Amino acid sequence: SQKIEQNSEALNIQEGKTATLTCNYTNYSPAYLQWYRQDPGRGPVFLLLIRENEKEKRKERLKVTFDTTLKQSLFHITASQPADSATYLCALLSGGSYIPTFGRGTSLIVHP
Amino acid sequence: DAGVIQSPRHEVTEMGQEVTLRCKPISGHNSLFWYRQTMMRGLELLIYFNNNVPIDDSGMPEDRFSAKMPNASFSTLKIQPSEPRDSAVYFCASSLGGQDNQPQHFGDGTRLSIL
């Protein structure tokens, strides 16, 4: 069955460092991969989308990579700030599908 | 622009009672999704509407759950009768249809507690 894995343990890092979160998947051939941010008590908010034929996508301090051979996406936040503390979810979509499958998310805690 | 609006934000009710959750999608979005989020299972899709028509309801747990979308600006998710295991945060999301890479815009959810 399709499976998406995100580290269930929280990632603790120091302000100013680069945070790297991982999204691994099995039994899936996604055409797109999305990353969302979720704050406590709020709904997920879309951050970035990367296509299967793209290796890397950037937006301000965010960078996403997509390796279809390794079946993995990495999400990087450079120069992290305490305000970046949140849960980050990856979501995969097959080509032609309107319904993403979400990972369970990884909590990021940036310490001042 | 107003985002996806859900009501109520919190609902506490006793087992066996009917629960109705409401959602107003973003104007112009023609796809609407209902999700349930728990610590154990993460974010699970319950049902997906396109142009007010239910397209995929395979995630609806059982007959106690029903969803409607009478028009483009309103949807409900109903649980009758409710059970303690239905306790979760329920999210509504909308997106632009027509392309399969559109991001979803989520409401802030309804936190449901069934006693």
Side-chain angles (χ1 to χ4, degrees), chain B residues 4-9 22-23 34 90-92 107-110:
Chain B
V4 174
I5 299 172
Q6 291 188 245
S7 65
R9 287 298 314 275
R22 297 173 175 81
C23 175
W34 281 100
Y90 290 80
F91 287 103
C92 174
D108 282 336
T110 295

Side-chain angles (χ1 to χ4, degrees), chain A residues 12-84:
Chain A
N12 286 271
I13 65 167
Q14 211 61 35
E15 182 175 10
K17 301 292 186 186
T18 295
T20 298
L21 304 175
T22 304
C23 176
N24 294 305
Y25 58 91
T26 55
N27 297 324
Y28 208 130
S29 297
Y32 309 97
L33 192 147
Q34 299 174 336
W35 282 89
Y36 290 77
R37 169 184 173 141
Q38 186 173 20
D39 290 285
R42 307 296 300 272
V45 175
F46 172 77
L47 296 174
L48 278 170
L49 174 143
I50 188 166
R51 293 173 171 79
E52 61 177 336
N53 59 353
E54 297 177 317
K55 294 294 185 187
E56 182 179 298
K57 200 78 168 281
R58 290 176 185 261
K59 180 182 176 183
E60 298 172 353
R61 293 185 296 112
L62 308 181
K63 184 178 87 172
V64 172
T65 62
F66 194 7
D67 189 326
T68 55
T69 300
L70 291 178
K71 295 185 181 298
Q72 180 182 80
S73 174
L74 299 179
F75 177 81
H76 306 273
I77 305 175
T78 59
S80 59
Q81 305 164 1
D84 295 326

Side-chain angles (χ1 to χ4, degrees), chain A residues 90-112:
Chain A
C90 67
L92 279 62
L93 292 96
S94 300
S97 172
Y98 298 97
I99 304 174
T101 302
F102 283 86
R104 292 175 60 180
T106 297
S107 174
L108 172 67
I109 302 169
V110 182
H111 299 276

